[in-house]
């Protein structure tokens, strides 16, 4: 009985290992430059990655809504990619201001399967925390200093009377 169970187990393992297609085994990578946190409507950032050499595929995410030249993959905004001889690719883009703040899944599909995935955090420009001193207090202090300096300058000119040469 043990031999039958062992033989069935080994057979099942061999069949499932053999049945996996190369697409299911595709390996790739995704990185974001300069960072995985971007500002909606902010500066350009880059999606870089690797996949099968000399192939095409898609980088897919809801964060890529309203991208110029964008497309869809299974109803989700996507950007088409083409890899070079080394399997690498890079796309420069700016997240549309209409994209809501949040964390988005980004997936890379090439060679007919999922090659890599990563997280991209989109922040709203108004949600950036304020740092440094309050500007209104500094501005008020600067106005007071300028007004005082102007008053002192005018006052000192009035006190000086031209000295007559005859005294």
């Amino acid at each position: 009985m043990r031999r039958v169970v062992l033989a069935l187990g080994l057979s099942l393992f061999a069949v499932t290992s053999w049945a996996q297609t190369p697409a299911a085994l595709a390996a790739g990578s995704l990185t974001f430059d300069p960072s995985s946190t971007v500002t909606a409507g902010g500066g350009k950032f880059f999606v870089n990655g690797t996949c099968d050499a000399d192939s095409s595929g898609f980088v897919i995410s809801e964060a890529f809504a309203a991208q110029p030249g964008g497309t869809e993959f299974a109803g989700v905004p996507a950007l088409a990619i083409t890899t070079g001889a080394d399997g690498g690719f890079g796309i420069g883009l700016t997240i549309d201001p209409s994209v809501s703040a949040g964390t988005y899944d980004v997936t890379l599909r090439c060679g007919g399967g999922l090659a890599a995935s990563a997280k991209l955090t989109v922040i709203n420009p108004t949600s950036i925390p304020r740092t440094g001193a309050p500007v209104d207090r500094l501005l008020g202090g600067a106005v007071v200093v300028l007004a005082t300096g102007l008053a002192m300058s005018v006052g000192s000119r009035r006190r000086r009377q031209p000295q007559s040469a005859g005294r």
Side-chain angles (χ1 to χ4, degrees), residues 39-94:
T39 303
K44 184 178 261 192
F45 79 105
F46 296 88
V47 178
N48 302 306
T50 59
C51 205
D52 299 331
D54 297 316
S55 67
S56 61
F58 295 94
V59 179
I60 307 158
S61 178
E62 292 290 346
F64 301 154
Q67 284 297 314
T71 185
E72 285 189 353
F73 185 91
V76 179
L79 302 169
I81 58 114
T82 302
T83 63
D86 64 350
F89 70 91
I91 305 171
L93 64 137
T94 300

Side-chain angles (χ1 to χ4, degrees), residues 21-154:
T21 63
L25 300 174
S29 67
L30 269 176
T31 60
F32 306 109
D33 184 27
S35 167
S36 62
T37 300
V38 296
T39 303
K44 184 178 261 192
F45 79 105
F46 296 88
V47 178
N48 302 306
T50 59
C51 205
D52 299 331
D54 297 316
S55 67
S56 61
F58 295 94
V59 179
I60 307 158
S61 178
E62 292 290 346
F64 301 154
Q67 284 297 314
T71 185
E72 285 189 353
F73 185 91
V76 179
L79 302 169
I81 58 114
T82 302
T83 63
D86 64 350
F89 70 91
I91 305 171
L93 64 137
T94 300
I95 298 296
D96 192 85
S98 66
V99 174
S100 299
T103 300
Y104 292 86
D105 290 320
V106 179
T107 56
L108 169 63
R109 292 189 66 88
C110 57
L114 177 64
S117 63
K119 300 276 187 193
L120 180 68
T121 302
V122 175
I123 58 175
N124 187 304
T126 59
S127 68
I128 298 173
R130 179 171 264 203
T131 60
V135 176
D136 54 346
R137 290 182 186 168
L138 290 176
L139 187 58
V143 169
V144 168
V145 169
L146 283 172
T148 303
L150 183 62
M152 290 173 69
S153 175
V154 169

